[in-house]
């Protein structure tokens, strides 16, 4: 028993007492950047959740994925970014091994829940815009079924490292914890390969396919309007292209560097990656909770109007043409009026 206790204490010591491998000022900069990150991500996602719950017209079967995205991003910020502020301030992960595993698990779980929420959201937008019966196919029941799939599927990939397939541990400059992708072992390599196939490459293919077809459908619609003698709207098509490009580029900026570094370890295990270089993709992935609400929510006119009323406690009320948030990849859709001042709070 004494030997087991000493081993546990030594393991804890490995996480608590670590030499500073990065300039002390550098840790201060990281702490400040993570503070700004946490401030905006928590505020943005809390606002999305509060405004969506308050305004019934923002709730529809597809929008539950946006609500789910905001919730998982909020939890990722609370369980991940806020902890990293404190650990960077101290210059090492001072909270111990168990808390390190918890943070790694939470960031991994909520991160891939957000990623798959974006994926399903893209596919359902494709159904709504490109399929004749897409709107009818998407019911509230189906939406909740897909949400259940997301949370259970992602839970599997977050839990298996706890049972020995890969592991959770410190990464980069040792102030945050995640999947032990720096570990050189075939057990870890096999997990990383299957993990990134399921939680990066397949989502990228689905998102690319979905938004590619949305753009193609809009282009075809404009062509048909011209053939029938009507006036097409190239500006709307251009706006849709820009919107989709922003979505895809932001997604890749967040997750592609992390994927490249992790798979580099798999295919070039002898390569020495500096702690600072290993930290960059980790912190890029933590920025997604900041810009996801901006891209997927705040760029929508109807939501902006509801958010303004919420923030100003009803002192500022804007009424304009409604834009369906569920198809906001195609600008200016919808013709009903959004009368925010007549909304009954939930």
């Amino acid at each position: 028993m004494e030997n087991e206790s000493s081993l546990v204490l030594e393991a804890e010591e490995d996480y608590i007492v670590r030499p500073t491998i990065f300039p002390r000022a550098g840790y201060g900069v990281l702490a400040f950047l993570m503070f700004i990150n946490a401030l905006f991500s928590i505020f943005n996602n809390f606002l999305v959740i509060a405004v969506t719950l308050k305004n019934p017209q923002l709730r529809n079967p597809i929008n539950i994925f946006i609500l789910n995205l905001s919730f998982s991003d909020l939890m990722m910020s609370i369980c991940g970014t806020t902890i990293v502020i404190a650990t960077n301030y101290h210059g090492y992960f001072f909270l111990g091994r168990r808390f390190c595993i918890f943070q790694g698990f939470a960031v991994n779980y909520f991160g891939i829940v957000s990623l798959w929420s974006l994926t399903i959201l893209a596919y359902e937008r494709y159904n709504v815009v490109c399929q004749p019966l897409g709107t009818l196919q998407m019911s509230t029941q189906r939406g909740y079924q897909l949400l259940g799939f997301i949370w259970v599927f992602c839970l599997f990939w977050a839990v298996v490292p706890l049972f020995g397939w890969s592991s959770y541990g410190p990464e980069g400059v040792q102030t945050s914890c995640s999947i032990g992708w720096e570990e050189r072992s075939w057990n870890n390599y096999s997990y990383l390969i299957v993990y990134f196939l399921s939680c990066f490459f397949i989502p990228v293919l689905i998102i690319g396919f979905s938004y590619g077809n949305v753009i193609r459908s809009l282009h075809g619609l404009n062509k048909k309007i011209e053939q029938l003698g009507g006036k097409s709207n190239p500006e709307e098509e251009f706006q849709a292209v820009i919107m989709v490009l922003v979505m895809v580029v932001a997604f890749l900026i967040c997750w592609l560097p992390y994927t490249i570094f992790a798979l580099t370890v798999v295919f070039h295990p002898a390569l020495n990656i500096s702690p600072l270089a290993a930290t960059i993709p980790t912190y890029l992935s933590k920025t997604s909770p900041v810009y996801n609400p901006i891209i997927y929510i705040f760029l929508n006119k109807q939501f902006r109007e509801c958010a303004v009323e919420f923030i100003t406690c009803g002192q500022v009320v804007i009424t304009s043409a409604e834009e369906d948030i569920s198809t906001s990849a195609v600008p200016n859709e919808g013709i009903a009026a959004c009368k925010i001042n007549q909304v009954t709070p939930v």
Side-chain angles (χ1 to χ4, degrees):
M1 292 294 293
E2 291 182 0
N3 290 336
E4 291 181 1
S5 298
S6 63
L7 289 174
V8 171
L9 289 173
E10 288 176 6
E12 290 289 334
E13 197 72 13
D14 286 340
Y15 284 78
I16 297 174
V17 181
R18 287 186 175 273
T20 299
I21 58 177
F22 196 52
R24 192 66 187 87
Y27 284 113
V29 171
L30 288 177
F32 175 74
L33 292 176
M34 286 299 98
F35 172 76
I36 299 299
N37 184 308
L39 186 67
F40 281 102
S41 60
I42 292 174
F43 174 80
N44 289 352
N45 287 289
F46 176 79
L47 180 63
V48 169
I49 294 170
V51 171
T52 304
L53 293 179
K54 181 181 178 182
N55 296 279
Q57 77 270 30
L58 296 178
R59 299 197 299 271
N60 60 51
I62 290 184
N63 285 356
I64 62 174
F65 296 108
I66 292 180
L67 190 61
N68 189 65
L69 171 65
S70 294
F71 175 75
S72 57
D73 278 349
L74 179 63
M75 296 305 297
M76 183 179 173
S77 299
I78 293 173
C79 298
T81 310
T82 54
I83 294 173
V84 172
I85 296 170
T87 54
N88 275 303
Y89 178 80
H90 284 81
Y92 59 94
F93 201 94
F94 66 97
L95 298 171
R97 179 174 180 271
R98 292 180 181 177
F99 215 96
C100 177
I101 293 174
F102 165 76
Q103 192 217 12
F105 167 82
V107 171
N108 185 25
Y109 187 29
F110 293 121
I112 55 179
V113 166
S114 294
L115 188 152
W116 268 99
S117 296
L118 295 176
T119 304
I120 300 297
L121 177 62
Y123 182 73
E124 291 305 327
R125 278 172 166 166
Y126 157 75
N127 277 337
V128 168
V129 176
C130 303
Q131 301 298 323
L133 299 178
T135 305
L136 298 178
Q137 291 172 356
M138 188 56 189
S139 64
T140 301
Q141 181 181 3
R142 182 187 173 192
Y144 285 120
Q145 289 173 346
L146 289 172
L147 281 186
F149 161 77
I150 290 173
W151 284 93
V152 173
F153 177 77
C154 296
L155 181 63
F156 170 80
W157 292 107
V159 164
V160 289
L162 300 176
F163 292 91
W165 194 18
S166 188
S167 61
Y168 290 112
E171 61 182 351
V173 292
Q174 309 298 305
T175 53
S176 64
C177 298
S178 183
I179 300 169
W181 57 272
E182 296 176 83
E183 177 188 338
R184 267 64 170 179
S185 69
W186 285 110
N187 174 60
N188 194 47
Y189 297 159
S190 62
Y191 173 81
L192 289 176
I193 291 172
V194 182
Y195 174 83
F196 282 109
L197 280 174
S198 302
C199 299
F200 179 76
F201 292 109
I202 291 177
V204 165
L205 291 176
I206 294 174
I207 290 173
F209 167 82
S210 300
Y211 285 134
N213 277 280
V214 166
I215 295 300
R216 188 178 66 175
S217 177
L218 181 59
H219 181 72
L221 178 62
N222 278 332
K223 287 291 184 182
K224 288 181 180 179
I225 291 174
E226 290 178 354
Q227 291 172 359
L228 294 174
K231 185 178 180 181
S232 64
N233 192 342
E235 182 179 350
E236 180 179 88
E237 183 178 344
F238 176 76
Q239 290 176 356
V241 171
I242 296 299
M243 183 72 170
V244 169
L245 285 177
V246 170
M247 292 176 180
V248 174
V249 170
F251 178 89
L252 293 177
I253 288 176
C254 173
W255 295 108
L256 186 59
Y258 197 88
T259 303
I260 291 174
F261 270 76
L263 295 183
T264 298
V265 172
V266 174
F267 295 109
H268 297 281
L271 182 65
N272 181 32
I273 300 176
S274 69
L276 179 58
T279 298
I280 294 174
T282 301
Y283 282 80
L284 280 176
S285 67
K286 288 180 173 61
T287 63
S288 60
V290 177
Y291 57 71
N292 277 340
I294 296 173
I295 295 173
Y296 290 88
I297 304 290
F298 294 158
L299 294 182
N300 176 265
K301 186 180 295 184
Q302 183 187 12
F303 182 88
R304 286 200 309 271
E305 294 167 357
C306 295
V308 167
E309 189 209 14
F310 180 83
I311 293 173
T312 61
C313 299
Q315 297 301 309
V316 178
V317 178
I318 305 172
T319 302
S320 67
E322 179 182 9
E323 178 187 350
D324 184 358
I325 198 171
S326 67
T327 55
S328 59
V330 183
N332 302 324
E333 288 195 344
I335 56 175
C338 173
K339 297 185 181 295
I340 300 175
N341 55 330
Q342 297 179 0
V343 173
T344 303
V346 177

